[in-house]
Amino acid sequence: MKLTTSYRDIWKVSLPIIIGSAAQNVVAMTDSVFLYYTGEEDFAAIGFVAAFYLIVAAIGFGFSRGGQIMMARRAGQGKPDEVGRVFYSTVYFELALAIIMFLFMTHGAYWLFASLVDSDVIFYKSLEYLEMRKWGVFASYFGVACIALYTGIARPLFIILDTFLLAATNIFLDRALIFGMYGFPEMGIAGAGLASTIAEYVALLVFLIYMVLDRKNRVYNIFKLPKWDPVIIREIVGLSVPIVAMSVVGLGSGFIFFGLVDNFGERALATTNIVRIAYLILSIPAWGFCTGINTMASYFVGANQPENVRTVLWKTSFLCLGITTLMIVPLLAFPRYFLYPILGDERAYLIDAAYPVFWVLWGILSTFSFGSIFFNGLIGAGETRFALKIQTLVAVLYVVLIFLVVHSEWGTMSLAWAVEILYWIAIFVVAWLFFRKPKWSR
């Protein structure tokens, strides 16, 4: 594997990841879109509980990112044998972690939701969804370990096909299980949880079959099952804990945001979910570039080329901004043409209420393009603890500002969303200043 700072190599690494990293976003968006047609209460509930499950998924993904960075570093150092050992250590840890998360969702989610949600309807519907969705955590965590391998060695092309399979399976089963079609029982919001769980297992099975048939991965000793290696496990955990903490802090603040918006009423929560669907779609390129920059920054550090890290950060940021802008401008100009075919006219008033927030969303995505890329550059370069300190401080300020906006007389939905612009500006400025230090260049 050999990488340069060219736009071609940025695309080579990032484009498959952009599509592959959309897996959980696609699942959450599909569930939301189908439940939009079942009623406003189901639609509001899925917005809340899906935000929670994204945190669960992000924890597993965060630990896999630690393994991904280590595998990319070993590849940059020309040590293919070590790549396979890191991969299996990642798998072992992910499966152990999946058991812990499953137990938490079984016994702890009730108390967590009760402390955040005022509406009894939203509370019980969220638990109904999670009862089915929690079984997918094993497939999700094993799957992200496999994705980490192919992302770390810069061969993520199959991730595209597997993500399409995941999406197609989830769409079919959502339609079948939510509405009771094709001979399946009508399960409502619980059907959405079951559909997503089954789709993840199907996608994992196909990915494992591909790995068995892929001859190019033989150099990494993929089929040599090593013993539990506590040294590598500790290294993965040491690198990943700050990444996971950052994911929990970032997505957790968003989860709290949904809980606070519930104070505006179920209608406001449903309107916010419309914006969230647009956000899930429009942020897919940024999250893909973030994962790609983890690999490229780690590769250049491993190859002793730190000067290339800043170059690839700026190129990736501008590339991300351009793609995101191309995606959101048509939505702002012709919202009816893009949203009504997906969401229909049943609750068109929610789309109209969400439209002013779409302009705020443009500002969020513009700052997100730079803040998230530079921030993930820190992670890829191994500065995870410093990155954790930054995000924790900024996230605390974010939650405080959201609380003030939501509980004030002058607070509005648009203003509540606009706080995130300040969040990403602060992240970008601190990360940019770090990479300007002479110490980093040396």
Side-chain angles (χ1 to χ4, degrees):
M1 180 180 77
K2 184 175 178 59
L3 296 175
T4 69
T5 61
S6 66
Y7 283 108
R8 178 180 180 180
D9 275 3
I10 293 174
W11 270 114
K12 172 186 172 182
V13 173
S14 300
L15 183 58
I17 302 173
I18 287 172
I19 299 174
S21 65
Q24 289 300 331
N25 284 9
V26 167
V27 169
M29 182 190 69
T30 304
D31 290 347
S32 294
V33 169
F34 278 105
L35 289 172
Y36 174 83
Y37 291 97
T38 65
E40 190 171 318
E41 292 175 345
D42 281 346
F43 186 62
I46 193 62
F48 172 78
V49 70
F52 166 77
Y53 194 82
L54 281 176
I55 297 174
V56 174
I59 291 174
F61 185 58
F63 278 105
S64 76
R65 292 266 289 279
Q68 171 198 327
I69 291 170
M70 287 181 61
M71 285 182 265
R73 188 72 52 85
R74 299 296 187 271
Q77 294 169 343
K79 299 178 180 178
D81 292 345
E82 294 293 319
V83 173
R85 293 180 61 200
V86 174
F87 166 68
Y88 275 108
S89 295
T90 305
V91 171
Y92 297 154
F93 185 82
E94 289 283 352
L95 292 179
L97 184 63
I99 295 174
I100 296 173
M101 296 308 299
F102 177 82
L103 292 175
F104 172 76
M105 286 186 284
T106 301
H107 301 291
Y110 181 95
W111 307 105
L112 177 63
F113 290 2
S115 66
L116 291 173
V117 177
D118 294 329
S119 170
D120 288 341
V121 175
I122 301 300
F123 173 72
Y124 285 108
K125 284 186 175 293
S126 296
L127 290 178
E128 187 179 351
Y129 174 85
L130 191 63
E131 182 63 27
M132 293 295 181
R133 192 71 181 91
K134 66 183 180 183
W135 296 96
V137 70
F138 300 100
S140 175
Y141 280 23
F142 195 167
V144 293
C146 298
I147 291 172
L149 169 65
Y150 279 84
T151 304
I153 62 176
R155 288 189 55 225
L157 188 61
F158 183 76
I159 298 173
I160 298 177
L161 300 178
D162 203 52
T163 301
F164 279 125
L165 175 65
L166 172 68
T169 305
N170 193 45
I171 290 171
F172 172 79
L173 291 177
D174 262 345
R175 186 177 177 85
L177 293 171
I178 292 175
F179 303 108
M181 302 179 68
Y182 315 121
F184 288 88
E186 182 179 350
M187 299 176 64
I189 193 170
L194 180 58
S196 299
T197 295
I198 295 174
E200 286 191 322
Y201 279 101
V202 171
L204 173 63
L205 177 61
V206 172
F207 206 118
L208 293 176
I209 293 174
Y210 170 76
M211 290 178 64
V212 171
L213 299 177
D214 180 18
R215 294 184 176 276
K216 293 183 179 179
N217 64 27
R218 303 297 192 269
V219 68
Y220 303 110
N221 288 329
I222 291 299
F223 298 103
K224 182 180 180 181
L225 191 66
K227 296 180 180 179
W228 176 278
D229 192 328
V231 176
I232 296 180
I233 293 291
R234 282 196 299 269
E235 192 173 352
I236 292 174
V237 172
L239 184 61
S240 299
V241 164
I243 299 175
V244 173
M246 285 181 281
S247 297
V248 171
V249 168
L251 290 172
S253 58
F255 180 57
I256 293 172
F257 173 80
F258 269 84
L260 292 174
V261 167
D262 183 52
N263 289 277
F264 284 142
E266 293 178 6
R267 176 67 53 82
L269 191 58
T271 302
T272 296
N273 201 21
I274 293 284
V275 182
R276 186 183 69 90
I277 291 175
Y279 199 173
L280 286 173
I281 298 172
L282 296 169
S283 64
I284 286 173
W287 287 119
F289 281 121
C290 286
T291 307
I293 209 66
N294 287 158
T295 293
M296 299 195 77
S298 183
Y299 174 88
F300 288 130
V301 171
N304 198 26
Q305 300 172 10
E307 68 281 356
N308 286 338
V309 174
R310 280 194 301 188
T311 302
V312 79
L313 285 175
W314 281 112
K315 285 186 174 182
T316 305
S317 296
F318 282 112
L319 192 59
C320 181
L321 176 63
I323 293 174
T324 302
T325 301
L326 288 175
M327 291 176 65
I328 196 172
V329 167
L331 175 64
L332 294 172
F334 311 103
R336 294 177 179 270
Y337 289 99
F338 289 91
L339 291 179
Y340 279 56
I342 299 175
L343 301 175
D345 295 326
E346 284 81 356
R347 275 165 292 280
Y349 57 87
L350 293 177
I351 299 176
D352 294 335
Y355 182 71
V357 188
F358 290 154
W359 289 92
V360 179
L361 190 58
W362 191 5
I364 293 173
L365 291 167
S366 297
T367 52
F368 184 26
S369 297
F370 288 87
S372 62
I373 297 299
F374 271 75
F375 182 75
N376 278 274
L378 290 175
I379 296 173
E383 301 290 341
T384 53
R385 297 187 184 278
F386 176 65
L388 174 59
K389 292 177 182 177
I390 297 171
Q391 190 173 39
T392 301
L393 177 60
V394 176
V396 169
L397 295 175
Y398 168 80
V399 171
V400 171
L401 289 174
I402 289 295
F403 183 85
L404 293 175
V405 170
V406 170
H407 288 87
S408 65
E409 295 181 357
W410 42 266
T412 64
M413 186 72 66
S414 296
L415 188 59
W417 275 91
V419 174
E420 190 169 340
I421 296 176
L422 301 177
Y423 176 93
W424 288 115
I425 290 175
I427 291 285
F428 167 70
V429 170
V430 177
W432 172 67
L433 290 174
F434 175 86
F435 282 112
R436 289 194 63 188
K437 290 181 178 180
K439 176 183 177 181
W440 161 249
S441 299
R442 291 195 299 268

